[in-house]
Amino acid sequence: MNTLNVTTDRFQRQSDLIPAERLSQLTATVIGVGAIGRQVALQLAAIGTPRIQLIDFDSVESTNITTQGYQVADLGKYKTSATREAAGSLAPEISITELQDRFRPRHKTGSVIFCCVDSISAREAIWRAISAKCEFFVDGRMLGEVIRVLAISPPAMQQYYVSTLFDQSEAHTGACTAQSTIYTANIAAGMMLHQFSRFLRRMPVDKDLSLNLLASELVLAPE
């Protein structure tokens, strides 16, 4: 199959789920390209997001191969660079830019934000900087086999998100040997992309979803 056919036909089976015209108008920013963020970036590329921005300051270490899906050849590279290469191989036609830095308020971002950082204080700083100028915001949180996804659109839901930004000292840390797995990260990313697809289809998003894999329990926060 030649490149033209891949570009033309590969979205056929998602066309009723991912509105291509609306997707084509958006730029998605992924802040934090670790366990969840890397999987989010790959899934965004796979569905054909035309412009993806990656923000992260960190480099690939050996533990990231197991829990974040990086390759041995990526060791020592910036996570943004390694993820850009992997996502670009899925969709050579899209534009992927990278910022090898922590998120800072001065950074220009897309109108769609995937927040994939690992601290409440970082989430709070990101939210303060971008809440007034993004169309869709989704935050993925993970500890062991427990996932929480918070999706915000429209602005009326913003106050609820603020209520989830508890003090960093109250965060559960868990044992260092039970913090992250690649399969949990993939599920979390999929849940975030699903909320994005709801936004694209102009459907209400779920403001707060929690999934406990060990307990086989999915909880949707009440309205």
Side-chain angles (χ1 to χ4, degrees):
M1 182 179 291
N2 62 39
T3 303
L4 177 60
N5 285 336
V6 170
T7 303
T8 303
D9 301 333
R10 76 180 183 91
F11 304 112
Q12 182 177 2
R13 294 188 178 185
Q14 70 170 29
S15 58
D16 287 341
L17 302 173
I18 309 290
E21 183 175 352
R22 191 167 189 212
L23 181 63
S24 70
Q25 301 168 5
L26 300 173
T27 297
T29 296
V30 183
I31 306 176
V33 196
I36 297 176
R38 176 175 168 84
Q39 310 311 317
V40 165
L42 295 178
Q43 291 185 31
L44 285 171
I47 68 170
T49 308
R51 292 168 298 279
I52 301 173
Q53 178 190 37
L54 307 174
I55 302 177
D56 200 308
F57 67 95
D58 209 358
S59 299
V60 179
E61 300 177 351
S62 59
T63 55
N64 303 147
I65 297 170
T66 303
T67 60
Q68 301 181 11
Y70 285 97
Q71 301 181 35
V72 172
D74 295 330
L75 288 171
K77 294 181 182 178
Y78 281 107
K79 289 182 178 179
T80 53
S81 298
T83 301
R84 177 178 53 79
E85 292 170 8
S89 69
L90 286 171
E93 74 279 6
I94 69 176
S95 171
I96 305 174
T97 59
E98 54 179 301
L99 275 174
Q100 295 160 354
D101 195 1
R102 297 179 187 274
F103 173 81
R104 303 180 192 279
R106 68 172 183 270
H107 291 153
K108 292 184 178 180
T109 58
S111 60
V112 170
I113 305 293
F114 290 82
C115 181
C116 306
V117 296
D118 56 8
S119 76
I120 294 296
S121 56
R123 291 183 179 97
E124 186 174 10
I126 292 166
W127 179 250
R128 283 200 309 267
I130 59 85
S131 59
K133 53 188 178 183
C134 66
E135 295 181 59
F136 172 81
F137 178 93
V138 61
D139 174 4
R141 307 178 187 183
M142 177 179 70
L143 180 61
E145 295 183 318
V146 178
I147 299 163
R148 188 178 186 187
V149 171
L150 299 113
I152 307 301
S153 180
M157 303 169 69
Q158 291 186 3
Q159 194 55 45
Y160 179 80
Y161 182 73
V162 172
S163 72
T164 73
L165 298 173
F166 48 82
D167 190 88
Q168 184 64 40
S169 63
E170 300 175 30
H172 296 290
T173 56
C176 63
T177 55
Q179 290 187 340
S180 178
T181 64
I182 187 67
Y183 58 85
T184 310
N186 268 296
I187 295 168
M191 291 171 66
M192 295 172 78
L193 265 288
H194 171 65
Q195 295 304 318
F196 180 46
S197 76
R198 294 176 70 93
F199 163 76
L200 291 174
R201 286 179 277 173
R202 304 187 188 279
M203 298 171 62
V205 299
D206 299 315
K207 67 179 182 181
D208 191 349
L209 275 172
S210 294
L211 175 62
N212 186 322
L213 295 178
L214 187 61
S216 300
E217 182 179 59
L218 177 67
V219 177
L220 173 62
E223 294 298 326

